[in-house]
Structure formats: structure tokens, C-alpha cells
Amino acid sequence: MASGRIFIDPERCKGCELCIPACPPGVISVAEFRNTLGYRPAVLVDPVHRCTGCALCAVVCPDAAITVYRDLRPQEAAHFSVEGA
């Protein structure tokens, strides 16, 4: 299965919560804290690494506050290291 992680910039997020229902594994929640503008930003809550890096959260984010990172599988990593050699 694919794996990934996301970074949500708490200062860019306005807490619209559109990313929460867009996340298939359900690893995004609303923060208990407020950012400097007074919004409760979205946060990644993924202690068992269920994020797949699908990027649906980033697609629906109107503030471009989410950056997605996908982990390469070993065969993909080997492919890129051979090409770069």
C-alpha cells in the first residue's frame, strides 16, 4: 500500500475543514489551538501512519496550506537512483 505524509501550514490554514471529509483514511482533524489569525487549523493526527499521500486534502484546500509527501517504494527508489547515476 502507498504511504505518505502531509504538512499543514497552521498559519495559512483558515480552518474551513474541507480537507477532513476529503481524507480517505481520516487522519486530519481540527487543532485544539488557534493560529495567529484566530482560526483553528487542520492538523495531521496519524500515529499509525495511515496517510497514503493521495493528495485529495491538498486538492480541496482553498488556501494551499497542505503539502503532500509520498514515500517511494523500494523498487521506485531504485529506479530513481539508477537514472540519477
Side-chain angles (χ1 to χ4, degrees):
M1 180 192 296
S3 66
R5 64 193 186 297
I6 62 171
F7 170 73
I8 303 169
D9 185 340
E11 292 305 315
R12 292 182 78 175
C13 179
K14 294 183 182 142
C16 71
E17 300 183 26
L18 291 173
C19 56
I20 295 171
C23 179
V27 295
I28 302 174
S29 185
V30 178
E32 294 294 322
F33 65 90
R34 295 182 184 271
N35 64 16
T36 56
L37 297 174
Y39 299 111
R40 288 181 186 245
V43 292
L44 176 65
V45 181
D46 192 13
V48 293
H49 307 289
R50 291 185 309 162
C51 179
T52 63
C54 70
L56 290 174
C57 56
V59 171
V60 300
C61 180
D63 299 309
I66 303 173
T67 305
V68 178
Y69 300 95
R70 286 202 79 186
D71 298 326
L72 294 177
R73 289 181 232 134
Q75 62 268 39
E76 292 171 328
H79 175 73
F80 283 112
S81 66
V82 171
E83 284 185 0

